[in-house]
Amino acid sequence: MGLLQEWRDYAYSLDTNQKKGQLFWANYFSVEKGIYEKILADPETIVEGSVEELAAKYETELSVMVGFLDGINESLVKENPIEEMDAKTVVNLGFDKEKLYYHMVEAKADWLYELPVWDTLLPEERRKELYWEQKKSNTIVKEKRVGRNDPCPCGSGKKYKKCCGTKI
């Protein structure tokens, strides 16, 4: 079993209504926030190294680093091979600022997308745009139903009931 699957099996099996699960996730989110503060402080430097080297660099356990890599992967310029990674796999944390902010909003991680460092990375207006773009992406919009006496949407000029409404 790969590192990622081990992480997912353990982390997502914990009951967040139980003290053990709450403590685990509180610790994870604290470590995650610390790592993000460090990499966002110097966005021009692309962090690279093996999974175990990065865990040591950010003073965390290997499994927590695997969880972090799982969370940031889709926000990277070039995604890492996280499905088959092991402790020696070299990964790259070169992130796209807008994708990262968008995915933080998507994850409802306000402790991350509200970090003060974002003020220097993306203009407030752009952050608002990304925020609402993400929020709208989950909104289902039902199209107005065509009434039987309305003009047919096919453009024939006939009433719907005399045109496409009879093809049911």
Side-chain angles (χ1 to χ4, degrees), residues 17 27 90-91 162-163:
N17 293 321
N27 178 61
V90 175
V91 293
K162 296 282 187 181
C163 187

Side-chain angles (χ1 to χ4, degrees), residues 92-129:
N92 178 316
L93 299 182
F95 59 92
D96 178 300
K97 295 174 205 169
E98 291 190 359
K99 281 180 15 181
L100 182 59
Y101 187 83
Y102 181 93
H103 288 120
M104 287 175 171
V105 172
E106 181 179 34
K108 298 178 177 71
D110 56 342
W111 64 94
L112 297 177
Y113 68 77
E114 291 178 355
L115 286 170
V117 71
W118 282 111
D119 294 339
T120 60
L121 295 176
L122 289 173
E124 183 178 359
E125 187 175 304
R126 183 61 184 142
R127 290 193 315 266
K128 285 180 182 178
E129 288 171 4

